[in-house]
Amino acid sequence: MFQYDFMQHAFIAGTFVAVMCGAFGVFVMARGLSFISHTFSHIGFSGASFAVFMGWDPLTGLLLFTTVSGLAVGQMGVKIFRRDAAVSVILSLFLGLGILFLFLSNKQTNFATTILFGSVVGISRQNVIEIVIISLILLIVLILSYRVLKFDSFDPAGAHAAGLPVRFISIGFLFVLSILVAEAVQIVGALLVFALLTVPASAARHLTHSVFGMILLSSLFSLIGVWAGLSLSYITNVPVSFYITIIEAIFYFLALIWQTVRLRWTKERTYRAKNI
Amino acid sequence: MLKTLDVDHINVIFNGERILKDISFSVHKGEMLGIIGPNGAGKSTLLKVILGLITPQEGKVVIKSTNKKPVMGYVPQSRLIDADMPIRAWDFVSLGLPNMIRPWLTGKDRKKVSKIMQETDTIHLAKKPIGKLSGGEKQRVYLAQALARDPDVLLLDESTSNLDPEAQESMTSLVHHLCESRHIGIIFISHDLHLVKKYAHRTLHMTRGHYIIGKTEEIMKDEKELSLCLHPPYSDESITSVDQQINQEIKDERIRTY
C-alpha cells in the first residue's frame, strides 16, 4: 500500500498526530480538560467549513477558530465550560454554524464527511509539511515546559503555592491544545479527536505511576491505533476513525482488566503472607 | 539572630471589613513562630499575604534571602489530588525542584530528592502512589516537596489538623527538627495549644482586629483563659464567613485557572 503517495502522506502525518495527541492527552486528562478538547474539535469543524466558504485552506480556518476560542476560554476561565449547559450550547452553536457555512459554500457533502470523520485520501503533500512543522513546534514547547506543566497538572495547589504563574500556564496550555486539535482534525476528523486525546492516556494511567511512563505508553497506544487504523482502512475501505476508536477502546479495556487482576493478585498475596 | 522575614504594618480590608489590622512582626532564622487564634481571626489570610497570594491594602512583606529570589515553602491543610492520576511519592517530591526549564532531572537533583525524603522520613514511601498514602504520610510528602526548593521561610497552615494526635506530634517534631538543622524560619498555624507550647519559640496570638506576640511561655501564661478565648462557646458567624469567603475566592481562582 506504500506505493501510493496518499498512503505515504497519511502514514507520515498520522504518526506525528498520534504521538502528539498521546503525549498531550496525559495532561488533558490530568487537568480534566477532556470535554473542552471535544468542544474545540467542534469549533474546528465550524472553522474548516468557514475556510471552505471563504475559499481558504481548511487548516487556516481550523487554526483561526480553535486558537481564538482557546484564548477566550482561558480568559473567561475553564469553570464556565465545566457546566453541562455551557458546553452543550457552545457545541451545538458551532456545529450549526459549520453546517451553515457548508450550505453557503455549496461544496459537495464529501468535504463534510472528510472534516467530520477524517480521511486517508484527503492528505496532500502540503498538509504533511504543515502537520510536521506544527508537531515539531508543539514538541519543543512541550519539552521546554515539561516540568512546569507536570507540576501544575498533577499538583495544582502545590504549583500555586510554589509561586508558578498558574494562570499563564493554563491559558498557554489551552492555546497549545487548540493548535493540536486543529492539526489532528485533518487526520481523525472533528468528531474523534476526542478519542485520540483521551482514550490512550486513560489506558496508560492504569499501567504506570510515572508521568513520563504514561506519556510514552499513551503515545505508543495512540500510534499503534493510527497505524493499524490506516492499514485496515486501506484494506477494507471502512473509515479510519472507526478502526482507531475500536483499537483504542480495546487498549483501554485491556488496561482496566490488567489493573483489576493485578490488584486482586497483590491482595491475595498479602492476605496469604499475613496468614502464614 | 538574623531576621529572615519582616512583616511591616499589614492591613487587609475585604468587602469593607478589616481582616488584618496593622500587623507587624518578624521571624528569625532557625525560629518557629506559632500562630494561634479563633476562627475568623485572619490567620490564614496573614499566611496568604506573606505568600503573595493576597495583596494587602497597606504594608509590605520583606524576605531576606541567600538565594537570588526569596523562596517560600507552603504546606496547606489539605490538597486536591486526582485519585485517577496517581503519581509516585518520589515524583511528587521532585515536582518541587527549582530550575524548571531543564526538562530532565540531573543526578544531583535525584540525590537531593532522596536526601530530602530521608530527612522527612518518607524514603520508604518513594515508590507508592501518592493517593494510597495515609493522611500523615501525605503531609510529610507535601512537606518534602516544599523543601525541594530550599525555602527561606516555611509556612504551615494547619498542616496537622486533620491528623490523629500521634501523627500531629510526630509531624510537628519533624518540622521542629528541620527548623534547627536547616536553620530556616518557620511559621505554623495550629489549634493545638499543647503543640504550640512544646515547639514554638514565639507565639503570635490573633483575635479579631488585635494581636499580641511574644515568647511562647509568656503568651501561654494563662492557658485556661487562652483556651476559652480560642474556642469560644459562642461563634461570630459573620466574621467566620468572611474568612470562608476569602478561602472560597482563592479556591475559585484555582479552579478557574486550571
Side-chain angles (χ1 to χ4, degrees):
Chain A
M1 61 186 165
F2 288 113
Q3 69 266 40
Y4 296 108
D5 272 357
F6 74 86
M7 280 312 280
Q8 291 178 10
H9 292 165
F11 262 86
I12 301 172
T15 304
F16 278 90
V17 168
V19 171
M20 295 320 291
C21 283
F24 274 94
V26 172
F27 296 103
V28 169
M29 293 307 286
R31 302 173 80 85
L33 293 179
S34 48
F35 276 96
I36 298 244
S37 62
H38 195 46
T39 314
F40 278 167
S41 63
H42 283 70
I43 293 170
F45 162 68
S46 167
S49 312
F50 182 69
V52 169
F53 167 59
M54 299 294 286
W56 301 342
D57 178 26
L59 185 64
T60 320
L62 274 165
L63 280 174
L64 180 72
F65 272 50
T66 55
T67 51
V68 168
S69 53
L71 290 175
V73 173
Q75 279 303 321
M76 289 187 293
V78 169
K79 206 178 155 196
I80 321 173
F81 277 77
R82 290 259 161 79
R83 287 186 204 133
D84 282 354
V87 173
S88 325
V89 170
I90 300 283
L91 263 177
S92 31
L93 174 68
F94 276 93
L95 212 54
L97 280 176
I99 292 164
L100 173 73
F101 292 135
L102 274 185
F103 167 74
L104 290 177
S105 65
N106 270 329
K107 273 271 169 168
Q108 63 279 44
T109 43
N110 205 355
F111 175 75
T113 335
T114 306
I115 208 74
L116 279 175
F117 304 107
S119 163
V120 193
V121 287
I123 304 158
S124 66
R125 201 184 152 73
Q126 175 75 22
N127 288 145
V128 174
I129 296 171
E130 285 165 359
I131 286 175
V132 171
I133 292 174
I134 293 176
S135 300
L136 289 177
I137 294 173
L138 293 184
L139 188 66
I140 293 170
V141 172
L142 180 63
I143 290 172
L144 287 180
S145 64
Y146 175 60
R147 279 176 55 207
V148 174
L149 192 59
K150 194 165 78 164
F151 199 176
D152 190 57
S153 303
F154 286 87
D155 182 20
H160 200 191
L164 260 57
V166 284
R167 197 171 155 71
F168 175 76
I169 297 169
S170 57
I171 295 179
F173 184 78
L174 284 169
F175 183 69
V176 171
L177 181 64
S178 65
I179 295 175
L180 178 65
V181 168
E183 183 197 353
V185 161
Q186 301 187 34
I187 306 289
V188 282
L191 293 180
L192 292 163
V193 167
F194 183 55
L196 268 193
L197 272 174
T198 54
V199 188
S202 314
R205 72 171 180 211
H206 289 301
L207 302 174
T208 171
H209 288 311
S210 101
V211 178
F212 192 62
M214 270 187 238
I215 290 175
L216 285 185
L217 268 185
S218 170
S219 305
L220 183 72
F221 290 159
S222 158
L223 192 60
I224 294 173
V226 169
W227 278 354
L230 284 171
S231 313
L232 289 170
S233 165
Y234 174 80
I235 297 163
T236 59
N237 217 13
V238 177
V240 196
S241 20
F242 163 69
Y243 286 115
I244 295 180
T245 43
I246 210 132
I247 293 163
E248 299 305 344
I250 290 172
F251 279 134
Y252 177 74
F253 287 116
L254 285 180
L256 211 59
I257 293 169
W258 164 248
Q259 197 200 26
T260 320
V261 170
R262 197 183 45 179
L263 265 182
R264 195 163 295 170
W265 191 64
T266 31
K267 254 186 206 159
E268 221 161 79
R269 212 173 39 168
T270 39
Y271 177 77
R272 271 196 210 134
K274 267 183 198 164
N275 285 281
I276 283 172
Chain B
M1 275 207 285
L2 284 167
K3 263 191 211 172
T4 179
L5 175 82
D6 226 347
V7 172
D8 192 13
H9 298 284
I10 294 289
N11 279 288
V12 172
I13 298 157
F14 188 78
N15 275 0
E17 266 185 274
R18 195 175 280 264
I19 311 291
L20 297 179
K21 193 176 162 193
D22 209 25
I23 291 191
S24 302
F25 65 92
S26 52
V27 178
H28 302 108
K29 282 186 175 178
E31 181 188 42
M32 263 179 104
L33 176 73
I35 299 184
I36 54 174
N39 286 336
K43 305 185 297 291
S44 291
T45 311
L46 179 62
L47 280 205
K48 277 157 195 157
V49 168
I50 297 173
L51 268 171
L53 300 180
I54 294 175
T55 320
Q57 274 79 6
E58 280 169 51
K60 61 177 195 271
V61 176
V62 181
I63 297 146
K64 296 193 180 75
S65 170
T66 45
N67 304 318
K68 264 186 238 152
K69 228 175 114 193
V71 182
M72 267 174 292
Y74 176 60
V75 186
Q77 186 175 355
S78 63
R79 198 123 141 183
L80 187 84
I81 286 173
D82 190 350
D84 284 344
M85 279 290 186
I87 63 172
R88 287 195 203 100
W90 197 96
D91 293 320
F92 199 84
V93 175
S94 75
L95 290 175
L97 289 166
N99 301 328
M100 304 198 75
I101 296 300
R102 193 176 0 83
W104 59 87
L105 299 181
T106 58
K108 216 171 141 192
D109 286 336
R110 286 170 200 286
K111 259 184 218 153
K112 187 175 173 188
V113 172
S114 300
K115 197 184 139 245
I116 288 170
M117 292 191 83
Q118 266 156 8
E119 240 181 305
T120 51
D121 192 23
T122 48
I123 193 76
H124 60 288
L125 308 169
K127 285 189 175 163
K128 283 197 178 172
I130 185 90
K132 298 248 163 79
L133 304 182
S134 73
E137 290 169 339
K138 266 188 206 155
Q139 285 298 339
R140 289 213 302 273
V141 171
Y142 300 156
L143 179 67
Q145 190 201 61
L147 289 174
R149 295 190 159 236
D150 294 318
D152 302 295
V153 183
L154 195 58
L155 309 171
L156 296 103
D157 190 353
E158 293 187 39
S159 310
T160 59
S161 295
N162 288 343
L163 308 180
D164 59 80
E166 211 175 304
Q168 281 194 22
E169 171 88 39
S170 79
M171 170 96 175
T172 315
S173 117
L174 172 69
V175 170
H176 185 254
H177 179 74
L178 288 168
C179 174
E180 282 173 355
S181 64
R182 288 183 163 249
H183 205 57
I184 53 177
I186 292 181
I187 300 179
F188 72 111
I189 296 179
S190 182
H191 279 299
D192 191 324
L193 290 184
H194 160 75
L195 286 178
V196 176
K197 199 172 180 182
K198 190 163 171 191
Y199 292 108
H201 300 106
R202 281 191 303 154
T203 300
L204 172 66
H205 179 194
M206 296 175 76
T207 44
R208 286 148 199 168
H210 301 279
Y211 73 95
I212 40 169
I213 183 166
K215 286 230 163 69
T216 301
E217 306 90 83
E218 285 164 28
I219 301 282
M220 296 275 179
K221 239 185 287 172
D222 200 347
E223 202 174 326
K224 217 177 216 169
E225 195 190 331
L226 196 60
S227 156
L228 199 68
C229 170
L230 292 182
H231 308 288
Y234 58 88
S235 77
D236 190 345
E237 284 187 0
S238 67
I239 297 182
T240 312
S241 76
V242 170
D243 202 38
Q244 277 167 355
Q245 245 175 309
I246 292 185
N247 283 332
Q248 192 56 43
E249 265 208 355
I250 288 163
K251 230 192 261 166
D252 283 351
E253 173 79 4
R254 184 54 240 165
I255 292 166
R256 200 155 57 77
T257 57
Y258 251 67

